[in-house]
Amino acid sequence: MRNKIAAILNLVEDSKDLRPLTQNRPVASLPFACRYRLIDFPFSALYNAEVNSAALFISESGHSLYDHIRSGANWGLDSPVGGGVFTHSQIELKTLRAERDEEFNITYFDNHRKYVQKSKADYVLLCGSNMLSNISLNAILQYHQEKNADITAAFKKVSRKALKKDTETFAYYFDGNEDDYLSKMEKMSEVPYEDKTVSLGMNYVIMGKEVFNRYLKKAEEGNSRIDGNTFLRYSLENGDKAYGYEYTGYLKSIEDIPSYFEANMEILEEKNFNALFYRNDPIITRPRHGAPTYYGPNAVVNNALIASDCEIYGKVENSLLYRQTKIREDTEVSCSIIMHGTKIGKNCYLKYVILDKNIKVGDNVHLEGTREKPLVFKKGDTIESGKVIREGSKI
Amino acid sequence: MRNKIAAILNLVEDSKDLRPLTQNRPVASLPFACRYRLIDFPFSALYNAEVNSAALFISESGHSLYDHIRSGANWGLDSPVGGGVFTHSQIELKTLRAERDEEFNITYFDNHRKYVQKSKADYVLLCGSNMLSNISLNAILQYHQEKNADITAAFKKVSRKALKKDTETFAYYFDGNEDDYLSKMEKMSEVPYEDKTVSLGMNYVIMGKEVFNRYLKKAEEGNSRIDGNTFLRYSLENGDKAYGYEYTGYLKSIEDIPSYFEANMEILEEKNFNALFYRNDPIITRPRHGAPTYYGPNAVVNNALIASDCEIYGKVENSLLYRQTKIREDTEVSCSIIMHGTKIGKNCYLKYVILDKNIKVGDNVHLEGTREKPLVFKKGDTIESGKVIREGSKI
Amino acid sequence: MKTEILGMVLAGGQGSRLGKLTKQIAKPAVPFGGKYRIIDFALSNCANSGITNVGVVTQYQPLILNEHVGDGAPWGLNRHNGGATILQPYSSVDGEKWFKGTAHAIYQNIDYIDQYNPDYVLVLSGDHIYKMDYEKMLNFHKEKAASLTVGVLPVSWDEAPRFGIMNTDLTNRIIEFDEKPAKPKSNLASMGIYIFNWPRLKQYLQDNQSKTRNMLDFGGDVIPAYLDNSEQVFAYAFEDYWKDVGTIESLWEANMEFINPDHDLNIRDTNWRIYSRTPDCPPQFISKTGKVTNSMITDGCYVSGEVEHSILSHNVRVGKGSVVKDSFVMADVVIGENVHIEKAIIGEGARIYDGGQVIGKDKDIAVLGYNEEIGGLTHEE
Amino acid sequence: MKTEILGMVLAGGQGSRLGKLTKQIAKPAVPFGGKYRIIDFALSNCANSGITNVGVVTQYQPLILNEHVGDGAPWGLNRHNGGATILQPYSSVDGEKWFKGTAHAIYQNIDYIDQYNPDYVLVLSGDHIYKMDYEKMLNFHKEKAASLTVGVLPVSWDEAPRFGIMNTDLTNRIIEFDEKPAKPKSNLASMGIYIFNWPRLKQYLQDNQSKTRNMLDFGGDVIPAYLDNSEQVFAYAFEDYWKDVGTIESLWEANMEFINPDHDLNIRDTNWRIYSRTPDCPPQFISKTGKVTNSMITDGCYVSGEVEHSILSHNVRVGKGSVVKDSFVMADVVIGENVHIEKAIIGEGARIYDGGQVIGKDKDIAVLGYNEEIGGLTHEE
C-alpha cells in the first residue's frame, strides 16, 4: 500500500506523422475519446497503483500539457509524501546525441538520478504516452517480483498487420513461451509484414532501483536517451534477467493520423470501450464544468460517443463528439471526430473527417474523406458555408 | 467584490546582470527573503485584491516557475470562476521584433486578446516581477476610477542615486503635482545621476478593457511587446488621460547582483521588513513542510532573517538563511545570503557572500566579498574544506 | 481577517415532503438536472456573486452533503483562511450544541462568523433552484441603509396564502409580515434569503436567548422582533426563475422544465455557471439501437433503448427495447431490457430489471427510491 | 470502491485534564512543538503508512480541528473518492446520532465505513505524540490471522497500575485485559490503537446494540467481549517514543524533550515527515538585541529579547529585555518588554504586557490560556 514505484515518463515522442493535430501539442496531450488526452492513460495507471510521484520529460511544445496537468492533483500526484510532477526544460532533448551539450547532459541524467533517489521508491517505471492502454502497474510489479526479474517489460500479442509498416515499435521474443525469459528484441519494422502474431512491446518497463541506476550510468556513458526500450536493450546486452508481462486489454500504438483515427473508431466498439473504461481502474482526467448534453427533438444519434455540454439537433453516427460541440438541424455527421468547441451549421454532410478544436463550419458544407485518409482540419479553422471538400480535392 | 481585473504578467525580464543566479531560472523565480520568490509579490497583490485569473508570459527558462506556481491555487488563481494561470510558449518572445514570425505573432496577440475577453473583467493590469513591492491593486483601481483615467501607472518617489546608472526603468513626469496628469516619461538612464528625487515607474499599469484593446491593436501593428510602460507611452502619444498612482511602501528594482544583494540587506531593516510583510495584505508563497528552526546551545544570531527547518550552531549576523540551511559550530556568517539546502561546515568565515541552493561548504573555509561586489556561488557548488576566497582573488 | 459579507447556507433541513428521496439524504443534497445537487445553485450563486467565504450548516443526514461540498473547490470556495466550511452540531463545555431552528443555527455558530468579522451576513437556504446575483441585493441593502433586507418573490395571488408574505410601503420597506395569510395584502413572498448587518443580528441573537422570547427561527421570531423594534427592514424583489423543489411533483416539474434548451435558467450561460462536484466518468455512449430525443444525457450513460423528454444523470444504463419518457433518472441507475418508465423519478443506484415498469401520471409521479430494485431477473441471470 | 484498510481517528475527546487549554479546543487540536497540532502525528503516521482513507471523528469543540484537517491536503489525504473525511454528530429519521463512547462513535459511522468496504479498520486516537508504521502492525495482524490486534507499549512497572494492561501468552496473544490493575501481571499498556477485521467488528457493534451489553467503549466493552468469546486478539508491541500529552505537565515535558535535536522522534527525518496545515508567515526575525539558544523558533517570530530552551510557535513577538526560558509558547503570542516567562505554557493569542511575569516550577507549570492578557500597559500606550 506504500508508494513503491517512481515513474519516469518520456514524453518527447515522435509527432510529425500526426500533424496538423500535433502542431501545437505533444503526442501526450492529443485529445482522445471525447474528454481525455493520451497522458490521462499512463497517469491513471499511476493513480490506480497509488504511485504518488512522477517525473515528466517534456519537449518545447509541452505547454498544452502543463495546462492540462497543472499540479497533478487530479491523479494524486501532488501528495506531499514524496510526490510531485517534475518538469525539465527539454528543448535540447531531441538533439541529445547530436550536439553533446556537456552541461545539459549532466543535468538531464542528474535529474533522473535525483528524482529516483528523492522518491525513496524501490522500483522505477519507464513509459511513454503513445501506447494507448489501461494497464495495471501493480500486476506488472507483482509479476516482476514473482519472477525475481531484473527488468520486466509489458507486451501484447497482436497481428503484425495491425501496425503500420514503418512503425517505430519493437517486437519482443522469448526463449520458450511468454512465461519465460525475454531473449531478444527487434525493430518491428524489420518483422515481415504479414498476418503473423507478434509480441508488441508497450514501452512500459519496470526494474529495481539498483538496476535502474546501473542502466542510467550506461546511458550516460553512451549519451543515450532514457527510455524503456533502450533500458531493455541494455539488459539483453548484459545478459540480465528480462521478463515480459503479457497485457491482454485494449492497446493501440498511436503513430500517425490513420492509427489515431482507427483508435477513435475502434473505441466505438463496445468491447474496446469497456476494456478501456469499464475496468475496475478508472481513467481520470481534468474535471470540467458544463451542462449535460442536450439532444434536440429530431436528433438521431447512433453508435456514437458524446461528451457532456454538447447540443445535437442533427444526425450523428459512428462518431465522437467532444465537449461543447454543436450539431445543427439537418446536418449529418458520420465516421468523424469532432473536437472541443467545434460548431457545425445546418444541412451539412461530414464523413471521415477530423475537426480539431474550435472550428466553425457554416451551413450546407460537404466534407468527405476516406477511412484510410480522413480529412483533417486544424484548430481554429473556419469552413465557410457552401464549401465542398472531398478527399483528393484541393483543401 | 467581484473579479474586475484581468492581470497580464510579462515575465520575460532581462536577467543577464543577475547571473549566475538566473542561469537556470527567470527573474520571477529568484529567491527572496528566506522563503519567497519574486513572483510571490505580484501574485500576492492579485490574491489580496481577489483577482482570480492571470496570464503569464514566460520565456524558455520558465520551468522553475512552473514548479513553484503549479496550478496557481495558493494565490487563489485556480478558481473555476473564470480563473486560471495561462501560459504560452514564448521562446520567440525575445526575438519578437527581430524575426517577425507571422504565425507566432498572431498567436501572441491573440492570446492576450482572448484571455482578456474570456476573463470578463472590466479592467486590465499589466505588470512584471522585478519591481519588488507590496502594492494594493484595489487602491490603484479606485484611484483610476475616481480620476476617470484612461490609464493609471504606479510610481514611487526615489532618489535617482538609488538606481543604477544604466537602469532600464522609466521616470514619470507630471503636469503640475503628482495628483495631476502624467505628461511625460523618460528612460531613467537619461536622467542625470545625482541626489535628485525622481518618480520611478513601477511598471504596474491599469486601464479599462476598451483602452487595452485599442493599445493592443497598436502594439500588434507596430509588432511591439505588450508591457506596461509601452502601453503608457501609447497613451501619451495619443493624448489619452494618463495618471500616476503614488506608492509609498518599500520598492526595489532588482536589475543586477548589487541591487539584489541590497534588497536582501535592506529587508533586514525593520522598517522595510514591516512595510513588505506586516501590512494587512499578506505575501503568500507555496507552503513547505519542515520542522521549526533549531538554535544550538552556543548559537549567536543577530539582525538576521531565518526560514524554518534550519539548524544553527554558529554565529549569524546581518544575514538571511533560507530553508534547510545548516551552520555548524564556530562558523561565522555575516552580511550574506544563504539559500535553500546549503550546508556550511565548522569554523568557517563568510562575509558578503551569496550562496545559491544546495551548496556544500566544508570546514575552515574563508569566503569574503565586498558590499559592492558580493561573492556569488552557483546552485549545487561544492566548496572544499580549507578553501580561502577573497573578492579579487581567483575563484 | 475582515470580510465584507459572509454567506451562511442553511442546509440542515430534512425536506420530509420529498418522502423516500430524503430518507438518507438531506434535501440540499438531492440530485437535480442530471449533474447537480440542489445546493449547487446556492453555492454557485455565492461564487458568481463574489462571496468567497461561506458557512454551510448541516445537521440532518449530512454524509453525502458534506462530501459533496468538501473543501468547496468546485465552486472556487477554497481560499486561504476561508472558503467553504461545514458547520455541524458539536459539544462544548456548555453542553451539546444542536441547531433548533434557522436563527438558532446562526446563534450556535457565532464563533465561526466572528472569525471573519463581517459587516454583513447573507443567510440562504440550500433548497432552491435559481440564479441570483447577491451582490446586487447587497448594493440595494447598502443604498437603503437597511438593517435587514429580505429577498422576496412576486407570486400569483392564488398561491400567496401558502407563503410568508411581506407587506411593503412605497420605498420597499417592510411594514408587516404575514405568515400564510388567508387574505394576503401583497403577493411578495419571502424567499428565505436575508442580508443582515451582522453586529445587530448578533446582538438580537445573544440578548434574546436569555429572555422569554427564544430566537429560534428567522421567519417566526427574528423578523417579527425586528419589525416590532422598528428596525429598517427592506424587501428586495427578485423577478427571475425561482423554484422550490420541496415536493415530488415540484422536483419532477423543475427537472422537466430544465430540459428545455430555452429555459429561463439558461444553464449554458458561461457568465453565470452552475458548478458541481462531479465524478470522473467516460463519455456517454449511444449504441446502434439507442434513440434519444429532446433529452439531457450526462457522462457515463449507456443508451441502447429509447429516451424521450427525460434527464439521465451520470452512469445510467438503458437496455434494448426499454422506453424512458418524461422522467428524471438519477445517477448509477441500471435499466434492463424492455423496461417502461414514464412520468417518474428514479433514485440513485436503483435497478429496474427486464420488463419492469415504473409509470406515474400527472400529479402522481412515480418514485423509485435510492438503491431500490424492481422487475424480473437481471438480464445476465 | 474497495479499500484494504481504513483509518478512523477518534478526535472527539475533550481532554479535560488539560484545563483551560481544552476549553475551546478539542485535545487533538492543541498545539505542539511550534508548528504542529497533536493530531498531526496520527494523520502523518497514516499518510506515511500508506493509509489514504481516514475518517476523523469529531464532536467536542470541533471548529479549529475541522479547519485544521479540512480536505486533508497537507497530509496528502485528498484523493478522489476518499482521503480525509470529518465525521460529526448528525440527525436522521431515527433521531439524533450522538457519539457516546469510542466504540459507539464507530457504530454511528458504519455507513461511512461501509462505503469503502474495508477488510480492516485501524482505530486510533488523535491524542498522542509518536511515529509509528501502521503497515507493520497490519502485517503482524495478517500473519497472526488475528481478529483484533491491540497496539501495546511496555511501561515501567511503577506506572503500569495507571494503564489498561494486556496480559499475553508466548505468542503475543492477549489472554486477559486488566483495566488499571493494582497488581499488574504485565507491563504492556494499551495505546488505544486497534486493527479490527471490519466485518467481525461490525457484527459485534450491530448485534450488541439490541442486547443488554451496550458496546460503547473499546476498552470497557468490546475488548472484554472479544476475549470472552475467544476471538483471536493479539498484542503488537511498539518500542519507540510515545507520549500521552494528557496533562499540563506531560504536554510541557513533551515539548521540552522535543527541542533536543537528538530527540528520539527525529522530527527532521525526511523519510517520515510530520505534516501540518500551517499559516503563511514571513521568516523569523532575530533583531540586534535578540538572543536565542537551545530553542526552536517558527516562521513569523520576532525576537528582541532572550529565548533559552524554549519553543516559539508561529508569529510570536518577544520584546527587548524579556526572557523566555524552559517554556512552550503557542502561536500569535505577544510578549512585551522586560517580561519574564519560565517553566510555562502560553496559549495562542495571549498577551503578556511590559514587565509581566508567568513563572512556574517543576510539577507546577504555569499556564496562560488562549487570548488571556496579563501584565502592565502595552508598550505602545
Side-chain angles (χ1 to χ4, degrees), chain C residues 52-290:
Chain C
T52 49
N53 295 307
V54 179
V56 180
V57 183
T58 69
Q59 170 157 288
Y60 174 80
Q61 286 290 13
L63 190 56
I64 286 169
L65 188 56
N66 292 357
E67 286 184 354
H68 184 69
V69 175
D71 63 349
W75 302 270
L77 298 173
N78 54 338
R79 287 174 67 87
H80 291 269
N81 310 320
T85 304
I86 301 280
L87 301 163
Q88 243 177 282
Y90 60 96
S91 72
S92 76
V93 286
D94 311 328
E96 297 176 352
K97 298 219 171 185
W98 213 263
F99 308 150
K100 294 172 192 149
T102 52
H104 189 248
I106 301 296
Y107 171 74
Q108 295 287 45
N109 287 296
I110 283 177
D111 282 353
Y112 164 77
I113 297 170
D114 274 348
Q115 285 186 315
Y116 294 91
N117 187 20
D119 297 322
Y120 309 102
V121 168
L122 168 71
V123 178
L124 301 171
S125 80
D127 284 3
H128 304 125
I129 306 294
Y130 66 120
K131 283 183 172 179
M132 180 171 177
D133 188 342
Y134 305 132
E135 191 179 18
K136 287 188 184 156
M137 180 167 166
L138 178 61
N139 290 340
F140 173 92
H141 181 85
K142 290 189 219 169
E143 275 163 28
K144 294 290 185 185
S147 174
L148 160 62
T149 298
V150 181
V152 298
L153 187 82
V155 294
S156 72
W157 286 91
D158 303 355
E159 287 185 310
R162 286 174 37 214
F163 289 92
I165 294 296
M166 301 293 172
N167 301 323
T168 59
D169 70 7
L170 289 172
T171 67
N172 293 315
R173 195 164 58 82
I174 295 174
I175 49 177
E176 199 183 1
F177 171 61
D178 278 355
E179 182 66 33
K180 298 183 182 166
K183 288 183 186 168
K185 295 178 202 154
S186 138
N187 67 336
L188 299 175
S190 169
M191 299 163 73
I193 299 175
Y194 311 107
I195 293 180
F196 284 97
N197 290 357
W198 172 238
R200 179 56 56 95
L201 175 61
K202 183 178 161 186
Q203 201 185 341
Y204 267 82
L205 294 177
Q206 287 182 327
D207 286 0
N208 281 277
Q209 291 302 323
S210 49
K211 298 181 186 166
T212 31
R213 177 177 231 152
N214 248 323
M215 290 285 161
L216 292 182
D217 274 305
F218 286 114
D221 306 308
V222 177
I223 296 177
Y226 265 58
L227 291 176
D228 288 355
N229 298 348
S230 300
E231 294 282 349
Q232 293 291 304
V233 182
F234 281 84
Y236 174 79
F238 177 74
E239 311 270 342
D240 294 329
Y241 184 84
W242 185 88
K243 190 110 185 176
D244 179 5
V245 288
T247 63
I248 296 292
E249 266 63 34
S250 64
L251 178 64
W252 177 81
E253 199 176 84
N255 273 287
M256 292 302 106
E257 289 166 4
F258 191 70
I259 296 173
N260 182 355
D262 301 320
H263 187 267
D264 286 341
L265 211 48
N266 200 3
I267 192 70
R268 289 178 183 77
D269 178 11
T270 53
N271 285 306
W272 202 275
R273 278 182 191 271
I274 302 302
Y275 302 98
S276 187
R277 186 180 298 274
T278 53
D280 226 316
C281 341
Q284 50 202 272
F285 195 115
I286 313 297
S287 84
K288 292 192 172 94
T289 58

Side-chain angles (χ1 to χ4, degrees), chain B residues 295 299-304 306 312 314-316, chain D residues 286-287 290-292:
Chain B
Y295 294 70
V300 176
V301 180
N302 288 117
N303 201 39
I306 319 273
I312 309 171
K315 185 171 175 184
V316 177
Chain D
I286 314 298
S287 85
K291 186 178 174 200
V292 182

Side-chain angles (χ1 to χ4, degrees), chain A residues 43-304:
Chain A
F43 266 23
S44 298
L46 298 178
Y47 178 81
N48 290 316
E50 301 205 4
V51 173
N52 62 15
S53 108
L56 308 188
F57 288 80
I58 296 175
S59 70
E60 78 273 21
S61 60
H63 294 267
S64 66
L65 202 54
Y66 281 119
D67 270 1
H68 183 68
I69 296 172
R70 304 273 177 119
S71 63
N74 285 319
W75 301 270
L77 294 172
D78 69 336
S79 159
V81 188
V85 176
F86 297 77
T87 54
H88 302 272
S89 175
Q90 298 301 331
I91 299 155
E92 299 96 333
L93 246 186
K94 285 190 170 170
T95 56
L96 185 61
R97 297 168 72 95
E99 297 196 3
R100 288 179 154 265
D101 172 335
E102 201 61 34
E103 190 179 350
F104 165 75
N105 278 4
I106 289 169
T107 318
Y108 175 68
F109 294 106
D110 266 8
N111 280 339
H112 281 85
R113 188 175 291 117
K114 277 190 196 149
Y115 161 62
V116 169
Q117 189 190 325
K118 275 170 78 177
S119 75
K120 286 164 204 145
D122 301 324
Y123 298 93
V124 178
L125 167 79
L126 298 180
C127 68
S129 75
N130 64 0
M131 286 283 187
L132 176 66
S133 61
N134 184 353
I135 195 165
S136 162
L137 300 180
N138 281 338
I140 305 182
L141 181 58
Q142 211 174 327
Y143 187 85
H144 178 81
Q145 290 168 331
E146 275 170 20
K147 287 290 179 184
N148 204 9
D150 288 314
I151 190 165
T152 300
F155 71 94
K156 179 179 159 76
K157 283 190 263 185
V158 300
S159 160
R160 172 64 185 94
K161 280 207 158 170
L163 299 158
K164 65 173 186 166
K165 251 190 179 133
D166 58 344
T167 172
E168 305 262 349
T169 56
F170 284 85
Y172 295 168
Y173 297 92
F174 301 89
D175 247 10
N177 53 45
E178 284 73 14
D179 206 26
D180 217 330
Y181 282 136
L182 199 163
S183 53
K184 191 184 122 184
M185 60 194 293
E186 183 185 14
K187 278 196 174 175
M188 189 65 84
S189 53
E190 290 167 12
V191 179
Y193 201 64
E194 51 185 90
D195 265 338
K196 207 183 67 175
T197 298
V198 287
S199 294
L200 168 63
M202 291 172 66
N203 209 14
Y204 273 80
V205 173
I206 208 164
M207 68 213 87
K209 192 164 56 177
E210 293 69 30
V211 174
F212 172 82
N213 283 326
R214 197 142 46 81
Y215 295 166
L216 178 67
K217 214 168 155 198
K218 192 159 178 176
E220 198 165 7
E221 285 160 12
N223 237 356
S224 297
R225 191 101 67 73
I226 289 160
D227 177 81
N229 280 322
T230 308
F231 276 32
L232 186 61
R233 184 163 52 78
Y234 289 168
S235 80
L236 295 175
E237 287 167 8
N238 263 16
D240 289 344
K241 280 191 289 177
Y243 278 91
Y245 167 86
E246 184 172 354
Y247 168 72
T248 55
Y250 180 78
L251 174 69
K252 190 83 187 181
S253 174
I254 311 277
E255 300 185 69
D256 54 10
I257 293 285
S259 58
Y260 174 72
F261 184 75
E262 267 170 39
N264 276 281
M265 290 301 126
E266 283 170 10
I267 222 65
L268 287 173
E269 290 167 37
E270 276 189 56
K271 182 173 68 86
N272 296 330
F273 181 74
N274 290 341
L276 263 193
F277 295 110
Y278 281 109
R279 282 188 48 206
N280 234 337
D281 296 343
I283 303 298
I284 290 156
T285 188
R286 192 172 156 214
R288 301 284 193 163
H289 295 277
T293 284
Y294 176 70
Y295 293 70
N298 301 310
V300 177
V301 180
N302 288 117
N303 200 39

